[in-house]
Amino acid sequence: MNTTQEVRVPSESRVPPRKRRGEGIVVTAAPTVAFVAANALGDLTAALVTAGVTAIAAFGWRLYRRQPVRQAVLGLLLVAACAAVATVTGEARGFFLIPALIPFAVIAVCVTTVLIGRPLTGLVLNRVAGGPADWRCVPRLRRIHTVSTLTCAAVNVVNGALQVVYYRDDQPLVLGIVHIATGPVFAVIVAITIAFVRRAKAGPAAPAPLSAVRPPRVR
């Protein structure tokens, strides 16, 4: 009789995509939720400690779920940087200074990638959606990613404006709500973009890529 049992760690690939996205949103938002709640019930020190402990727990959970190490490390470093700013400023709103600046960087990236003909969502999501390597030469797919990238830019304009307003008004609770709400919004944009790309692939044959169109030979 074999008394040893194989311990199976949940694999990321075995988790349904929808559940995986929802889990990612919850884990990402957990340190912010912990910070806002602890700050409302106690003081800044308690909020920073609570956020730090929650961030470490989230880091461990991501490793346990075998998510990419880079993603887990970036999440931990972001919380550490936010906590450092709050410690230096001595204000709870300082925790949201970096998140308030991120939307403006994303806007610049989105606009730049559209202008150079390489929309950001195409660069990030094309492989996930199963798109062709030359998606930039397929008008239908390029149009989908252009609209999706500009939508991301528009959402970040609203997000950045709200965070600037409430940062100036010293409203850490509202800042936390705005920061948390951005996760589901962008998850929806990602899901819709992937769905449109896959529908475009499954629909009528797409026009030949521009790179495949060659002028006739002159004899």
Side-chain angles (χ1 to χ4, degrees):
M1 180 176 179
N2 187 5
T3 58
T4 61
Q5 294 182 352
E6 181 181 359
V7 179
R8 296 183 179 181
V9 180
S11 175
E12 189 71 11
S13 60
R14 297 179 183 176
V15 182
R18 185 175 300 178
K19 182 178 180 181
R20 189 163 61 241
R21 287 194 294 266
E23 180 182 287
I25 292 172
V26 172
V27 173
T28 301
T32 301
V33 174
F35 178 86
V36 171
N39 185 67
L41 297 175
D43 56 10
L44 178 59
T45 301
L48 292 174
V49 172
T50 304
V53 172
T54 306
I56 294 173
F59 176 79
W61 176 255
R62 281 172 166 157
L63 294 181
Y64 172 74
R65 299 293 284 180
R66 295 185 178 178
Q67 295 181 359
V69 176
R70 182 176 62 180
Q71 179 181 348
V73 172
L74 286 177
L76 187 62
L77 291 178
L78 179 60
V79 174
C82 292
V85 174
T87 301
V88 171
T89 60
E91 299 177 326
R93 68 175 182 176
F95 188 83
F96 300 100
L97 179 58
I98 295 177
L101 297 176
I102 290 177
F104 299 100
V106 176
I107 293 170
V109 172
C110 287
V111 173
T112 301
T113 56
V114 168
L115 291 177
I116 65 176
R118 297 171 178 266
L120 180 62
T121 60
L123 298 175
V124 176
L125 300 177
N126 177 67
R127 187 174 180 180
V128 177
D134 58 348
W135 61 270
R136 295 184 300 276
C137 300
V138 181
R140 185 185 303 172
L141 296 179
R142 184 169 174 175
R143 183 164 55 249
I144 290 172
H145 288 303
T146 297
V147 172
S148 176
T149 300
L150 292 177
T151 301
C152 288
V155 171
N156 275 286
V157 168
V158 176
N159 180 25
L162 289 175
Q163 295 203 57
V164 168
V165 170
Y166 290 112
Y167 188 89
R168 292 181 59 184
D169 291 343
D170 195 9
Q171 297 288 336
L173 176 59
V174 182
L175 285 169
I177 294 173
V178 173
H179 179 60
I180 293 169
T182 57
V185 171
F186 286 112
V188 170
I189 294 175
V190 168
I192 292 175
T193 301
I194 293 175
F196 269 90
V197 170
R198 289 176 176 172
R199 180 181 299 179
K201 286 175 50 188
L210 299 178
S211 59
V213 179
R214 298 179 180 178
R217 294 183 179 179
V218 178
R219 296 183 179 179

